[in-house]
Every structure is written in structure tokens, then in C-alpha cells.
Amino acid sequence: MEVNKKETLRYLGYRGQEMDANLEALIDETSQELLNSIAPKSVHQEFSCSTEGDDVVHLGPLVIKSKHLAKNLKGCEYAVIFAATIGSSADTLIKRYSLTNLAKASVVQAAGAALIETFCDSLEDTIRENAAARELYLRPRFSPGYGDLPLELQRDIFRILECSKRIGLSLTDTCLMFPSKSVTAIIGLSPLQNNCHREKCTDCNNTECDYRTN
């Protein structure tokens, strides 16, 4: 696994600007420090899935009210719920460098965000391979807090996947995760290919996509 430099720059707020040599060196140094200390872990489980009307999703034992998730999962008979983390090292480094080197703390924040996305992509590849053997295709992953999917769904995901016990995640009273570089998401499995190519909806220019939320 490696840190995606382009994504790191995006998280730093760069939008096509040139990266100077000092910043590149700082990203390289910070990325290596992160890669030497992370402890990636994940858990996932497949459930039956169906939609009711335009805003209700039946997902295993859960009944979820969300127009955006229902739109994303329409036509799916199954869906995977997953949780992933790269561990607490990014939080430790951010806290340390916030006291001594704010620029480096910002780069750790951005590189850590890019790294957990890379880890989620690799997990998604595994799910995709297993789905392909059953002639199923993946819908774009969808996380609590995105669109109208309530962040409070985290509590149900943590309970169902036993995230605290199995991969060491904890959840605050406001449904934020620790370690912070962690992700939970739902991925629909569909018999129809959607030609998404795994682009994030926030980055994708396909405004006609059936699964877009904005």
C-alpha cells in the first residue's frame, strides 16, 4: 500500500497548482513515516438488500430511511457493510506535530485521509472479485453522513459488525470514529453493471449518473 500523492494534495486544498520541491519532500517524508506505523484492519459482512418506495432500504436487520441510499441501492438484492481503519498512528502524529510543526501536521492529516481511502479501495477490490464470481457488480460505496444518510447509522454498523471488538474502533457520543482515519460504508451488489469506474461522486463529472447524490 502507498500514499496517493495526488489525493494528498487534494486534501491539502490544491486544485491544479504546482507542487514545490519542499512540499513534495515533506509529503514523501510524512508518507513514509505513516506507512511505517499504520496498522490497517477491516471487517465486512454481506446482507440481503431491498428498497421500498423511494426512501426506505431494508438491509439485513436494518430499516434505513434515506432517499440517496435507496437510489444507490435500487435493484440490489445484496449489499456489503464494511468498516476499515489504518489505526491510531495518524492521530498520534497529528497531535505531536501540532505542537512542533503545523505544516507537517497538516500533511499528516491529508496523507492519512488519502491512505484510508487507498485501503478502502483495496478492500473494495476484494469484494468486487468475490462479487464477479457471482456475476454481480458493485455500486459506489456510500457512507453515513453522506447525502441524507444519517451519521447516527454508525451506531447500528458498529453493533452489527462488532467494530470495537474486531478492529478496535470506538464511537463518540456524536458518532465520530476513533481512530479518526477510519471509514464505514455500504456497497450494493447489483446484477447490472453501472460503469462507475469507482470515481468518487464528489470528483466525478457525470451529472447524469443514476447513483449521484448531488
Side-chain angles (χ1 to χ4, degrees), residues 1 6 20 30 40 47 65-69 72 92 103 111 113 126 133 140 156 162 171 180 183 185 190 198:
M1 190 162 56
K6 181 179 177 181
D20 63 38
T30 301
F47 297 93
K65 191 172 179 62
S66 165
K67 285 186 176 181
H68 291 150
L69 183 63
N72 181 282
T92 301
T126 300
D156 289 321
E162 298 182 305
L171 197 63
S180 66
V183 168
S190 170
R198 260 191 353 189

Side-chain angles (χ1 to χ4, degrees), residues 110-187:
L115 196 53
I116 182 58
E117 287 298 313
T118 297
F119 183 43
C120 288
D121 287 344
S122 67
L123 175 59
E124 192 171 317
D125 284 339
T126 300
I127 295 170
R128 179 178 288 102
E129 289 176 9
N130 292 334
R134 298 153 58 195
E135 297 185 345
L136 295 172
Y137 302 91
L138 271 59
R139 295 282 172 82
R141 62 180 181 250
F142 207 105
S143 293
Y146 185 53
D148 66 349
L149 188 62
L151 190 61
E152 289 74 18
L153 183 62
Q154 298 280 45
R155 296 191 182 102
D156 289 321
I157 291 176
F158 266 60
R159 174 176 54 81
I160 289 172
L161 296 184
E162 298 182 305
C163 293
S164 298
K165 176 182 178 181
R166 298 177 70 181
I167 59 173
L169 288 182
S170 60
L171 197 63
T172 70
D173 292 340
T174 55
C175 295
L176 299 179
M177 289 182 286
F178 183 83
S180 66
K181 301 311 177 194
S182 305
V183 168
T184 59
I186 298 165
I187 301 176

